[in-house]
Every structure is written in structure tokens, then in C-alpha cells.
Amino acid sequence: MALEQLIVNGLIAGAIYALMASGFSLVYNVLKFLHVAHGAIYVVGAFAGWWLARVVGVPLPAAIVGALVLSIIAGVLVDFVAYRPIRKKGEAALLMISFGVFIFVQSLVLLFFGADVKSYGLPIERGLDVAGAIITPLQISLIAISLVTMAALHVFLKFTKAGKAIRAVADDAEVARVVGISPERTILVTFILSSLLAGVAGVLVGMEQNIEHAMGLSAVISALTAAVIGGIGNVPAAVPGGFLLGIVENVGIFWLPSGWKAGISFALLIIFLFFRPKGLFGGKTRTV
Amino acid sequence: MVFAYIANLLALAGIYGIVGISLNVAFGYTGLANLGHAALFGIGAYVSALLALSLGLPFWAALLVAGLFAAFIGWLLAWPTARLRGDYLALATLGFGFIVESVFKNWMDVTRGPLGIPGIPKPELFGFVFASTESYLLVVAFFLAITYFVVKRVVDSPFGRVLKAIREDELAAQSLGKHTHRYKALALALSGFFAGIAGSLFAHYITFIDPSSFTIFETILAFSIVIIGGMGSVEGALIGAALLTFLPEPLRFIGFPSAIIGPARQLIYAGLLIAIILKRPEGIRGEYAFGLGEKHAKSKQA
């Protein structure tokens, strides 16, 4: 495949990674644990959109809104049932329960909807030729939606009261509490936001590709890799992290067989963990 | 027929029991959340299968080499543990696990990728072939006993007390003059050794291996075994392995189709993992609950 095409493919993948990574990074910054079940919320979003549009038969825009609402409900529910009771028990307990939730939700989706690959059934579009690469209008809007969502997230965190509360808790939960910021309320807003982002990513992937119950694992692994590359203490940095991961992964198969695509991103993860645990754009690191 | 069925479950429970005990050395005793544990199990399986098939090594030698090789890889894994801890260690070992899985899938010339390796020979001793399920159960029981006694010896020794000290407070252990990195490396090597042996037992039992048996989900299964049984308890890992092997079996008798049994099995062990962490974090037999120390679990039991 031509290099131009691989870069475009990398941008498309990167748009999704950026969405996933920023939601993952948000939870990490506020609660300081690896929210693996983020991948399950993404599966819920993708399947809710497919179910509403194809099984229930509501129009696509309504299905999308419904899917996002269901993603948020799923995310808040996970926090409420699984994380909240063990908030103070440390990162290992939270990480393990997060894996438990991930597998639980993925198995439920498999039980209810089966293992076959599903499609939103959108009409196939003719690709446009952009600088020697083929890209469909849907893919262009996917990248645009991702960038706009990221910008909106940035504005939210920077300028709204709830956004500032999130940044304050992320910075120092104790001090935030002392100045009167409610930690539980802030955590609720964090899960609403992060689950919305996962839902958007799930629906976009559903519209652009096929979906299956097992899609959550690679999504959350890419999300955490992109978050580490950008700098895990830094939510906006997840965006360049996501795009960089998408491009490196796709351009990498210019030289290596395509089966190694996943291996490339893990190698990148390990290289960053060893040599630049702060990521590209700094942020705080918890290594000692 | 009934006995072969039960023997099969016992053999699998025994193999996963070794996996659980080996993970317990790293996670339950030393506090190292090695999310690449299934990779060590897989390395043991592949090394043993390849040695037996291409070099014609007898099972017993292949098993030993597989254990030693997995121990070496576990020891290498200790390199990141010197610099990383907590979440970063989890991330690094997760990445390690995926890279190994990627190698299993893509190194076609050696591992045959997703096609897997068929025809792995059953063990043989003085002309007797352990071909039947019942006889293989003896082999598993033999290595399970060795694992049990060796690990039990190690964790109750002064060496084991240093491991627990690292889990509780690494800085304090260092201030007592312990080279904690060296201890962590040995813990991971020991963990890798028995994981590799379990992998070898698995490969020669099933006689076919492919990358799908050594994924992150097997790692989480191993963690479930340890957490459900009780972190830092050798017996707990055995109880956990037996529980997770036998508990989903009734599904088979209710007559669910196999398309439902697979996900239902996952649902059961994930649900059990969640419930245990929420309601009884020290597990069934544990003396230790996530970062809360031994005192907490003991006072709760009293």
C-alpha cells in the first residue's frame, strides 16, 4: 500500500484512539487507576447504536443519541457498583475489578448478541482522492468529529466550573476537598464525560467499520498506549498521542507484515515506559 | 466415562493450580501485578512442545528446559520492576504479554502462528505412555505436589519474609538493607519457572497449542484464581483453581448449547472476581487483602 494511504489510515485510527485515550486519561487523572472497563463502555456504545438503529429501527440520529445516553448510564453504573465501594483500597484492587467488569460486560454482549460481526448498514460511499490517498466522506467527518469533540472537552475542562473541579481533583484531591470541591460529584462528572467519549468512539467505529463483541480489548489497549505516549498526567496530550499511535501503527506495516501491527504499538508502549514515562508532553509521573 | 470426565477436570484444575501458585509468588507474596503471566505460561508451552517435536527431547527434559526458559524470561521482566511500580509496572507487563502473544501469532516459521502446533507427544516413562486422562492426572499431581512443597518452603523461609516485606513496604525493606530488586527478580524467576512447567503440562496434555490459550484473558483467569482463593496463600490458589474449573460445569448438564457455555463461563468467573473483591477482598483463604496488610485481614477474621 502507498505510504500516503497508510498515513491517512493512521489518521482515521488515530481519531478514534484520541477519543478513547482522553476518556481513559480523564479517569486516570482523577482516580489514579487504570480504568480497563473503559473498553467495555465503548462496546456498549457501539452495540447500543447498532441495536437501536438495526433491531429497534429508530432513525440513525436518534440511535446515536440513544447510544451515547446508554454509554453514559453504563459508565456511571460501573463506577457506582464496582469502583465506589473500593475507592480507598488502592490501584491493584481497582485494576482487577476493572478487568472483571470488562470481561463481565463483554460476555453479556456476547450472550445477548452473539459472536457474528455486525454492521450499521450505512450506504457505501465513493472514496475521494486526497493527495494520493483514498478517503471516504464518512472518514473525513469521523476525523472532524473527533477533533471537535476534543476541542469541546478542552474548553469544558478549562473554562467551566465542573471542568475546573476535575482538574483540581486531578491535581490534588486533598486540597480540592479542603477548598470545598465535592470529590464524589466530580468523580460522577468524570465518568459521565469519559463514558460519553467512549460512546462517541464506539458509535463512530460502528458507522465506519463492522462491530463485534471482542472489539473492546484492542480499543482500551490502544487508549492506554496513546495516553502513555501523550503523557498520562495530561488529558489534552492524549490527542497527539492518539494520532501518533495511529500513524506509527499503520505506517509501520509499510515495512513489517500487517500481523505485527499490534506488536508495534506495544513496543512503542514499552519504549515510552522505559525511556520517557512522562510521555511526549510531560505531565506528572508516578514512577519513583 | 464418568471417571475420565472428572479426571479431565482434575487435571485441568491441577495445571491451573500450578499457574495460580506461580502467580501468587509474584503477586500474592511480592505484590508484583504481572499482567503478562499468561505469556510465561505460553512460553513454557511453546518451548516444551517445540523441543519435544523438533529435537525429539523426552517430555521430562522438555518440561525442565521450558521451566528454566520461562524463569529466565521472568527474571528479565524484573528489569522494568526496578524502575517502575504500581500502574506503570502493570502497563509494562501488559505490553510484554501482548508482545509475546504477537510473537506466537506472527513467527510463522517457528510457532506456525494461528495454525497452532498439533501432535505434541504425551509423556513416557520406561516405555509406559501417559496417554489416558487418568494416567496424565498422575503426572499433573506429581508436579503440583513439587510446586506446592517448593513454594511453601520458599514463602515460609527468610527469603519469603523479605518478599512479603516488599509487598507491604518496599522502602522499609530497603532501609533494612535488603536489595529489593534482587529479591523481586528472584520472585519473578521462580514465578516464571512454575508457570513454564504448567505451560509444558498443558501442552503435552491437550497435545495442541495455539496463541489463543495464552492471552490476557488467561492472565486475568490466573489473577481470579489467586484473588478468589486468597492472595498470599498457596492452598488458596488450589481452592481458587478447583472452584473456577468445577463451578461452570453444571451449565453443561443443564443442556445449554456450547455457544452459551463459553460466555456464561466467563460471566461466572468475572462475576465471582467482582464479588470477591467487593465483599471479601482477602479471598477464601487469604491472610492479606489488597494493600491493607495482614493485620487487617486477620482482625477481620477474628
Side-chain angles (χ1 to χ4, degrees):
Chain A
M1 217 184 285
L3 197 57
E4 294 85 357
Q5 186 65 53
L6 292 171
I7 292 174
V8 165
N9 292 354
L11 286 174
I12 298 164
I16 299 294
Y17 296 165
L19 281 169
M20 285 298 286
S22 52
F24 180 83
S25 188
L26 208 53
V27 174
Y28 185 83
N29 276 285
V30 171
L31 288 164
K32 311 287 185 274
F33 80 97
L34 304 170
H35 173 39
V36 178
H38 195 55
I41 309 301
Y42 161 86
V43 176
V44 168
F47 271 77
W50 168 81
W51 181 72
L52 287 169
R54 296 302 295 272
V55 181
V56 180
V58 301
L60 189 63
I64 292 174
V65 173
L68 298 184
V69 171
L70 286 172
S71 311
I72 292 173
I73 292 174
V76 171
L77 203 66
V78 166
D79 175 51
F80 202 78
V81 174
Y83 298 156
R84 206 176 145 136
I86 56 163
R87 253 325 167 241
K88 301 266 175 281
K89 289 205 180 146
E91 59 200 20
L94 284 161
L95 173 65
M96 285 305 143
I97 208 162
S98 194
F99 267 114
V101 169
F102 176 89
I103 294 172
F104 195 84
V105 173
Q106 179 181 296
S107 319
L108 272 185
V109 170
L110 176 58
L111 270 179
F112 278 109
F113 300 111
D116 51 321
V117 171
K118 288 156 190 74
S119 138
Y120 278 36
L122 301 184
I124 294 171
E125 297 169 308
R126 174 186 278 277
L128 308 170
D129 194 321
V130 179
I134 307 292
I135 183 166
T136 67
L138 180 64
Q139 290 168 333
I140 293 174
S141 21
L142 186 152
I143 296 173
I145 289 169
S146 167
L147 290 175
V148 170
T149 311
M150 293 294 99
L153 174 70
H154 186 65
V155 169
F156 181 87
L157 290 176
K158 195 111 194 175
F159 299 110
T160 67
K161 206 172 163 199
K164 284 177 185 166
I166 288 180
R167 288 194 296 140
V169 174
D171 204 41
D172 191 327
E174 265 320 292
V175 173
R177 212 166 51 82
V178 169
V179 300
I181 294 169
S182 153
E184 281 306 320
R185 239 194 74 153
T186 309
I187 290 170
L188 177 68
V189 178
T190 303
F191 273 98
I192 291 176
L193 274 181
S194 103
S195 309
L196 176 65
L197 291 165
V200 170
V203 169
L204 286 177
V205 164
M207 288 165 65
E208 211 269 312
Q209 303 160 10
N210 294 324
I211 61 170
E212 51 163 341
H213 72 281
M215 65 196 277
L217 182 65
S218 62
V220 74
I221 300 299
S222 307
L224 61 86
T225 306
V228 169
I229 292 174
I232 199 157
N234 184 342
V235 176
V239 180
F243 280 102
L244 185 71
L245 175 65
I247 289 172
V248 170
E249 222 180 54
N250 280 281
V251 173
I253 58 173
F254 191 64
W255 292 281
L256 281 169
S258 63
W260 288 100
K261 204 163 159 180
I264 296 170
S265 60
F266 301 123
L268 206 60
L269 172 67
I270 298 227
I271 289 169
F272 266 90
L273 285 174
F274 282 163
F275 299 108
R276 201 168 164 82
K278 278 188 295 195
L280 287 176
F281 300 97
K284 276 188 293 184
T285 161
R286 295 178 73 217
T287 25
V288 179
Chain B
M1 189 57 203
V2 175
F3 193 73
Y5 165 77
I6 292 176
N8 170 48
L9 289 180
L10 284 173
L12 287 174
I15 291 169
Y16 279 107
I18 299 176
V19 173
I21 293 174
S22 65
L23 177 62
N24 220 343
V25 173
F27 178 59
Y29 287 100
T30 321
L32 302 169
N34 174 12
L35 289 178
H37 195 70
L40 297 173
F41 177 60
I43 286 169
Y46 270 97
V47 167
S48 188
L50 290 170
L51 286 177
L53 283 171
S54 53
L55 296 183
L57 228 58
F59 162 78
W60 315 95
L63 173 128
L64 190 65
V65 178
L68 290 174
F69 190 76
F72 173 67
I73 302 290
W75 181 77
L76 283 184
L77 249 187
W79 181 48
T81 68
R83 305 183 43 170
L84 307 168
R85 58 192 69 192
D87 302 327
Y88 281 81
L89 175 65
L91 281 174
T93 52
L94 187 70
F96 159 76
F98 279 108
I99 288 173
V100 171
E101 193 191 330
S102 196
V103 170
F104 290 158
K105 274 187 191 153
N106 290 292
W107 196 10
M108 295 298 288
D109 298 339
V110 174
T111 65
R112 293 177 21 103
L115 299 174
I117 300 174
I120 302 163
K122 293 269 186 182
E124 200 189 309
L125 190 66
F126 305 123
F128 178 78
V129 182
F130 295 86
S132 73
T133 310
E134 291 89 337
S135 64
Y136 202 89
L137 184 56
L138 291 175
V139 180
V140 172
F142 175 69
F143 286 105
L144 180 62
I146 290 180
T147 309
Y148 179 87
F149 287 113
V150 170
V151 171
K152 195 90 183 148
R153 256 325 261 254
V154 169
V155 296
D156 289 337
S157 70
F159 175 80
R161 282 199 292 278
V162 177
L163 297 187
K164 285 185 229 173
I166 292 172
R167 176 187 76 190
E168 298 300 324
D169 190 339
E170 186 170 356
L171 211 59
Q174 275 169 350
S175 72
L176 293 172
K178 304 294 179 195
H179 288 274
T180 56
H181 174 59
R182 202 176 295 159
Y183 283 89
K184 288 196 282 186
L186 285 173
L188 280 172
L190 190 68
S191 173
F193 180 73
F194 288 112
I197 283 186
S200 167
L201 285 170
F202 177 81
H204 293 266
Y205 179 53
I206 309 288
T207 70
F208 170 80
I209 51 171
D210 70 353
S212 71
S213 302
F214 313 108
T215 67
I216 178 71
F217 295 107
E218 277 65 35
T219 296
I220 299 306
L221 180 65
F223 273 92
S224 305
I225 288 171
V226 170
I227 292 169
I228 290 167
M231 282 187 274
S233 161
V234 182
E235 293 82 8
L238 289 178
I239 297 171
L243 203 64
L244 286 180
T245 312
F246 282 89
L247 208 60
E249 281 307 303
L251 293 174
R252 230 187 267 276
F253 297 110
I254 300 170
F256 282 137
S258 60
I260 291 195
I261 290 180
R265 187 191 290 269
Q266 301 256 329
L267 209 59
I268 288 174
Y269 90 72
L272 206 58
L273 176 65
I274 295 168
I276 285 274
I277 295 176
L278 288 177
K279 297 293 173 204
R280 197 181 158 85
E282 71 274 23
I284 293 171
R285 278 291 309 250
E287 50 175 33
Y288 166 75
F290 292 105
L292 298 174
E294 293 185 17
K295 263 193 210 128
H296 171 84
K298 275 189 183 140
S299 64
K300 214 176 156 190
Q301 279 168 349

